[in-house]
Amino acid sequence: MPPPSTLSLPEQLSLLSLFLCSIAVVGNTFHGDGEPLIASLAFSGMAFSATYAMIRWLGPTFMKAGLRGKDLSKVHKKEIPETMGAVCAVVYLLVAIVFIPFPFYKDIVAATSGGGNRDVVVEVVNIETGRFLHRFPHNKLASYLSALLSLQSVVILGIGDDLFDIRWRHKFFIPAFASIPILIVYFVDFGVTHVVVPTPLRPYLGELLNLGWGYYLYMAAIAIFAPNSINILAGINGIEVSQSLVIAGLLAGNDILYLLPPSPPLHPATDSHLLSLYLLLPFIGVSLALWTQNKYPAKVFVGDTYCYFAGTVFAACAILGHFSKTLLLLLLPQIANFIYSAPQLFRLIACPRHRLPRFNARSGLLEPSVTPWTREPNRLQSLLISVLEKVGCLGVNRDEDGKVRETTNMTILNLWLVWRGPLREDRLLNEIVCMQVIVGLGGLFVRHKAALLIFTVDNL
Ligand code: UD1
Ligand code: MG
């Protein structure tokens, strides 16, 4: 068996073939209008091979640098490399930078050579004023570059967090700063702050409601929420990457709906959904590579960098693609986890450093982890505990006098274990991912079909 940091021969051959095929496909897109979507797919293939190989090669280097964590839900709590999301993010950013000319191939040709008519005489005055650059879609380029800038900022801050373990209340706002570039481009380029009012409310509010600055606060809130909500739905092998892959896959599926034939070729949303795909495809490439190493039993951990990076990719797609409500539908399990976690996050109930499920070494299964109560709960805490207990949403352990001794930690992973009983780590992951796929598909269905019940048109 090769040591864990090296690639076996079949792995080397498969990764190399994928990498070379992808290069050949990219080389083949330089004709006609260029084929940016095919190029993006091929770049994603390259990103997959590069990430897969680099995660394996860099494991020991990360361990030596202190970037390692104990896998708490195993009999032997072995240390494995952490922060491997940084490798994903760096490969992604490099690929996204090399990809910059591809969506603009047609426009670059038009702007620099007179639309392919090389016999067209270019006047000196045109050369000095930037040739035909007024034809170039600077707004599209600005959108793409702002997404890269936001992602770079969040990755720097995420790596800082993984290195220095920043306090939760501080790191909550990290993505707010990183989202400024995309919000500015939204302001300059699109600037719509109106929302369509559901039909039943129209007699009171009119057809459109202008939220003004409130709309920017709402988008900033999405940019803060998406990364943090992925980071707190964590603690079992593979869950951060799996949930991100489900969201990315469903977002990409939704984008493709807008590009398929019944939509007219110049549908107003085509460009924004193409931009979203250019951001999502390489993300899926690097995430699949990370998933192969992070799935149960994990060989590496993803680190907070990955959670911030993934959430910001989604926020950038949704804000620049103008489909933030669709993203919220796909984040329903994360929203549920956040709301359920709120009493612990906001310290109404004590929140230990780790809330991941407890590993029972005897049975090899995961059980809900608990917070011990050293003092009697106050009135508000008692009310919350008894209401949640009554509706079956909290495990409570009481002593003979009925005093609360322990309550289960408030995450949907622990709640799932309260409902389903002890489960193996991979089984818990599979069930949560299935739930997420079902909820996500339901969300998309509601978005496109049930939208007609409360709005007059679906914008597909
Ligand atoms: C978030 C959660 C915390 C959870 C942690 C697990 C909140 C407020 N914070 O904290 O409750 O315990 O994620 O990721 O909800 N680990 C495993 N197995 C895994 C994944 C992680 O044992 O499959 C452990 C490892 O020791 C790893 C550590 O968790 O080193 C990573 O924790 P970190 O991402 O730093 O925790 P937070 O994001 O701060
Ligand atoms: Mg984390």
Side-chain angles (χ1 to χ4, degrees), residues 138-196:
H138 293 280
N139 54 343
K140 271 202 265 172
L141 180 60
S143 292
Y144 188 74
L145 293 182
S146 72
L148 293 197
L149 188 54
S150 286
L151 283 167
Q152 285 188 343
S153 321
V154 90
V155 167
I156 293 172
L157 295 166
I159 292 175
D161 178 23
D162 277 327
L163 283 173
F164 307 117
D165 215 356
I166 301 174
R167 290 195 147 170
W168 209 78
R169 62 172 175 273
H170 297 147
K171 69 185 180 190
F172 191 79
F173 291 101
I174 288 176
F177 295 97
S179 68
I180 291 174
I182 39 180
L183 293 181
I184 300 275
V185 167
Y186 184 90
F187 174 67
V188 174
D189 183 33
F190 196 63
V192 173
T193 53
H194 290 79
V195 287
V196 180

Side-chain angles (χ1 to χ4, degrees), residues 69-72 82 168 171 231-232 234-237 240 301 304 345 353-356 425:
K70 271 197 190 133
D71 197 349
L72 300 170
E82 182 130 26
W168 209 78
K171 69 185 180 190
N231 191 26
I232 60 171
I236 56 171
N237 290 178
E240 293 100 325
F301 284 138
D304 290 347
L345 297 181
R353 168 67 184 89
H354 280 295
R355 300 191 297 161
L356 49 89
E425 193 173 2

Side-chain angles (χ1 to χ4, degrees), residues 25 28-40 99 102 105 278:
V25 172
N28 219 13
T29 58
F30 288 110
H31 57 75
D33 283 354
E35 281 158 8
L37 207 48
I38 297 198
S40 179
F99 181 69
F102 288 81
Y105 179 72
Y278 299 151

Side-chain angles (χ1 to χ4, degrees), residues 275-341:
L275 173 70
S276 164
L277 273 180
Y278 299 151
L279 294 173
L280 286 171
L281 293 178
F283 174 77
I284 293 175
V286 296
S287 297
L288 276 176
L290 181 59
W291 179 80
T292 61
Q293 313 292 308
N294 179 239
K295 71 177 177 13
Y296 178 89
K299 295 188 201 83
V300 303
F301 284 138
V302 303
D304 290 347
T305 311
Y306 180 79
C307 304
Y308 288 140
F309 162 62
T312 308
V313 170
F314 303 146
C317 291
I319 293 171
L320 297 170
H322 319 139
F323 50 82
S324 51
K325 276 175 286 168
T326 308
L327 175 62
L328 287 180
L329 283 175
L330 297 183
L331 286 174
L332 279 176
Q334 286 73 13
I335 294 174
N337 188 47
F338 178 79
I339 295 173
Y340 183 54
S341 293

